[in-house]
Structure formats: structure tokens, C-alpha cells
Amino acid sequence: MNLFSLFNRRSSAPVARERLQILLSHERAERGRPDLLVVLREEILAVVGRHIAVEQDKVRVKMTRDDDISTLEIDIEVPNAARARVLLHA
Amino acid sequence: MAKVLVVTSGKGGVGKTTSTAALGAALAQEGQNVVVVDFDVGLRNLDLVLGAERRVVYDLINVVQGDAKLSQALIRDKRLENLSLLPASQTRDKDALTADGVSRIVTELREKFDWVICDSPAGIEKGATLAMRHADIAVIVTNPEVSSVRDSDRVIGLLDSKTERAEKGELVEKHLLITRYDTARARRGEMLKTEDVLEILSIPLLGIIPESQEVLRASNLGTPVTLSNPMSAPARAYIDAARRLRGESLVVSVPTDKRSFFGSLFARRVA
């Protein structure tokens, strides 16, 4: 280490702090992801339920993530009518 | 009313076992009835840190499987009569630890002691989740270093979702214990400051244990640091932390070993 680099050496703790803040905000969001599906399921059920009687366990929400496309699949079984299938591609 | 406390961290080598021994001893020194339980099945070390390695006859797994009574497995400390140890098994597989068995033992220990301190293994597998399962209070041991802080954040998430309290919609009381802290390096910007770690993890601070040669000396001797040298900086930090666990509100400072003029100048308030 020469004299120049000694003076130029940026303290490393602020770098650590910033890296952690960015990383953890991602990881915390990631952890919340399974819950997102639960929330979606509840809200979809509430909206559809306003118009059609739907049974709790007849609603399936599935999310698949691939490299270039993510799919949100919502499958609702409607009684006394033709099976309604809603597919959303995001 | 007995309290179950888990000492946890996610990351290994940050000072869980040292902190379990020191906090357990400090509480016992204050007259509390304490049991420390080693959950690290297959890699037990709490017995060694407490200097009781040659007195282990029965262990946690023997009690879980009904091969020994709890009273047969408990080892009373020779220096502190109200401090007991329930050792982990060294030879058995960690799968021998069952949720029902742990639940039964914790219930029984609650009746006998004021404090049940569970020393968690590293990681987030079965041993660690069972150690935190019945906790009322958690002490999260963190070094001011990126990987330790990240793992602590993960463990905080588990405490909020995988514990008995979390499943009942209640909260586990969480406390941050920063260990191996070097005030001078933090001041020079070479180490995360207490404020940084607190801001990132956002849980209340229980104490700051300064980096000190006394910690290694204590484990060499098989004596908790609060007993081997009660006036040393880490011992004073642990004793204060134990008093905070009992509800006292003390200002958190970083004790220093050298009581020089400069030393006392820098033993300033930090939170």
C-alpha cells in the first residue's frame, strides 16, 4: 500500500451498510412472496364472490417464474355453470 | 413466571455459546434460578465452556427418549448452585430431537426454573427451529459484519413465523446482542457501527460485548467470563445485559478494559 492509497482508502463500513440495506430489502420482499399468493387468493375470492357463489377451496392461484415470462394462473371452479377458467399472462 | 429465552444467530461462531454461558451465569449471580440447555445435538460445547464436560452422564436426547429422568440429566454448576446445565448429546444424530420431546422438557423446566436459556445450534434447520420453538424472548447474537447481520435478519424472520408464539399471533420479544465489537475500528469506519446494525435489523439493543482477550481466557478455563473476571469489559457488558433482561433500563455503553484517560473518554454512550 503506497502513501496515496493510504489517504485515498475509503472507509469500508459505509459500503457494508449500503450493501446490506439493498440486499435485505430484496430478501425481505422475497420472504413475503408466498404470502402474496395468499393475499391474491383472498382478494380474488372476495371480488368473484360478490357476483357468484364460490367455494373457498375451489379457487387456485399459482405463480410460475421463468427467465423471460412469468405466469399468474387463477383457476376458479364455478358451481352450476360451465367451469370458468381465468388465465392471466403477465 | 418462568421465561424461556433462546440465544440464536443463524451464523456460526458469533458467540452464542459464550453468550449463553455468560448470561446464564450473570442471571444466576443475581440469585435467579437458571438452566442452560444445549440444543446443538452432535456438536455440544456448552458443557465445555461451563467446565462441566467431565460430569455429563445423561443428556437431552436421553430425556427426550425416556431413558433418563430430567433430574438425572441436569448438572448443577459447582460455583453457582442456582445454575444448571442440560447438555446435548454428542453421539446421537440430531434427528433424535423431536418436537414433542422438546415441548415436554421445556414445560417441565418452566416449573423448576426462573429462566430456561436455550443455546441454539447454528443454521436454520431442525435443531435451530426447535431451540426457538417455545421461546418467550430471543437474544440475537450478531457480529458487526455483513454475513452475520444478514443471517440475523433471516433468523428474525423465523422468530416471527415459526415459533409457538408467532403461530398464536403473539410476538417473541427480540433483543440484539452485538458481540466482538471494536469501538476504535467502528469509529474509523472499518467496522459497522452499532447504529448501523440497529437501523438495519430494527430490534432493541440488549448490549454490546467488546472484543476482548478475556472471552478466550474464560473458555480456556471453562468458566463463564462473568465469573472468571467479573470486572473485565465483556463481563460488565454481559452483567448489564442480564439486568436489562430482568427489566432494568440501563444506558447501553461499551465498557473498556483499560481504564486510561483516553479509555474512559471513549467509553461513551452509544444508544
Side-chain angles (χ1 to χ4, degrees):
Chain A
M1 189 196 301
N2 61 30
L3 201 62
F4 179 74
S5 69
L6 191 71
F7 285 116
N8 203 27
R9 203 167 107 159
R10 201 185 146 196
S11 52
S12 57
V15 181
R17 177 194 149 104
E18 203 181 310
R19 288 176 61 220
L20 272 171
Q21 277 172 334
I22 295 166
L23 174 72
L24 293 184
S25 72
H26 279 102
E27 287 189 346
R28 285 170 188 162
E30 194 102 359
R31 248 184 267 149
R33 200 157 288 152
D35 292 337
L36 172 70
L37 290 186
V38 174
V39 172
L40 276 175
R41 193 178 170 280
E42 293 298 313
E43 293 189 2
I44 290 164
L45 189 66
V47 171
V48 176
R50 258 184 253 152
H51 307 283
I52 314 165
V54 194
E55 279 176 55
Q56 278 272 346
D57 57 347
K58 296 287 159 62
V59 179
R60 281 177 293 275
V61 180
K62 193 175 145 199
M63 194 186 277
T64 30
R65 281 158 194 282
D66 292 318
D67 287 343
D68 46 356
I69 190 164
S70 295
T71 315
L72 177 66
E73 194 177 320
I74 302 158
D75 190 336
I76 305 168
E77 222 175 278
V78 182
N80 302 329
R83 195 173 142 92
R85 197 175 261 264
V86 188
L87 279 171
L88 294 179
H89 291 275
Chain B
M1 183 66 188
K3 284 195 169 159
V4 179
L5 185 153
V6 62
V7 179
T8 183
S9 70
K11 191 177 183 302
V14 296
K16 283 181 297 295
T17 302
T18 302
S19 297
T20 302
L23 290 174
L27 286 166
Q29 280 164 285
E30 293 218 333
Q32 299 282 294
N33 231 332
V34 182
V35 63
V36 287
V37 185
D38 194 344
F39 273 82
D40 206 344
V41 176
L43 288 170
R44 77 167 173 227
N45 275 318
L46 190 54
D47 55 333
L48 197 53
V49 169
L50 284 169
E53 70 275 15
R54 302 202 316 184
R55 299 173 60 208
V56 178
V57 182
Y58 294 110
D59 58 51
L60 181 64
I61 301 297
N62 294 138
V63 184
V64 164
Q65 300 191 332
D67 297 329
K69 279 187 276 181
L70 187 58
S71 56
Q72 291 176 296
L74 287 171
I75 302 168
R76 185 171 287 190
D77 190 89
K78 290 217 159 133
R79 299 144 300 203
L80 290 165
E81 62 165 16
N82 45 347
L83 176 65
S84 296
L85 162 71
L86 180 55
S89 170
Q90 181 69 343
T91 51
R92 304 297 290 274
D93 191 84
K94 62 176 183 296
D95 290 334
L97 208 57
T98 63
D100 284 349
V102 170
S103 168
R104 218 175 50 235
I105 288 174
V106 170
T107 306
E108 209 174 323
L109 289 172
R110 269 186 199 270
E111 287 163 16
K112 291 183 187 220
F113 297 94
D114 301 320
W115 292 89
V116 179
I117 306 184
C118 305
D119 184 17
S120 172
I124 49 171
E125 304 299 318
K126 193 178 175 191
T129 49
L130 282 178
M132 69 171 64
R133 181 84 197 133
H134 305 281
D136 304 308
I137 306 172
V139 170
I140 294 111
V141 183
T142 307
N143 289 168
E145 179 271 326
V146 286
S147 50
S148 175
V149 175
R150 180 200 210 172
D151 291 1
S152 293
D153 191 69
R154 183 89 168 83
V155 160
I156 290 168
L158 291 180
L159 286 164
D160 288 336
S161 60
K162 301 278 183 203
T163 53
E164 197 176 46
R165 280 199 168 215
E167 284 168 8
K168 281 194 285 182
E170 296 169 13
L171 273 183
V172 174
E173 199 183 296
K174 296 180 289 287
H175 297 275
L176 180 68
L177 185 68
I178 299 181
T179 54
R180 310 202 69 166
Y181 192 72
D182 187 328
T183 314
R185 298 197 72 188
R187 201 185 315 118
R188 288 198 298 267
E190 297 171 12
M191 182 183 264
L192 287 168
K193 288 190 174 72
T194 302
E195 294 88 327
D196 298 334
V197 183
L198 281 173
E199 192 192 317
I200 293 165
L201 295 178
S202 53
I203 57 170
L205 182 63
L206 181 70
I208 304 163
I209 315 299
E211 174 77 62
S212 167
Q213 297 176 357
E214 287 298 322
V215 175
L216 180 57
R217 184 175 171 269
S219 85
N220 286 344
L221 298 173
T223 311
V225 71
T226 57
L227 277 177
S228 66
N229 186 354
M231 290 314 290
S232 66
R236 281 182 287 141
Y238 276 122
I239 289 165
D240 280 0
R243 289 172 63 188
R244 284 184 205 104
L245 280 176
R246 294 191 62 200
E248 280 188 53
S249 60
L250 304 165
V251 174
V252 181
S253 65
V254 190
T256 49
D257 268 324
K258 297 184 187 76
R259 304 304 293 167
S260 65
F261 171 68
F262 287 106
S264 51
L265 259 187
F266 292 131
R268 63 193 174 92
R269 289 167 156 230
V270 289

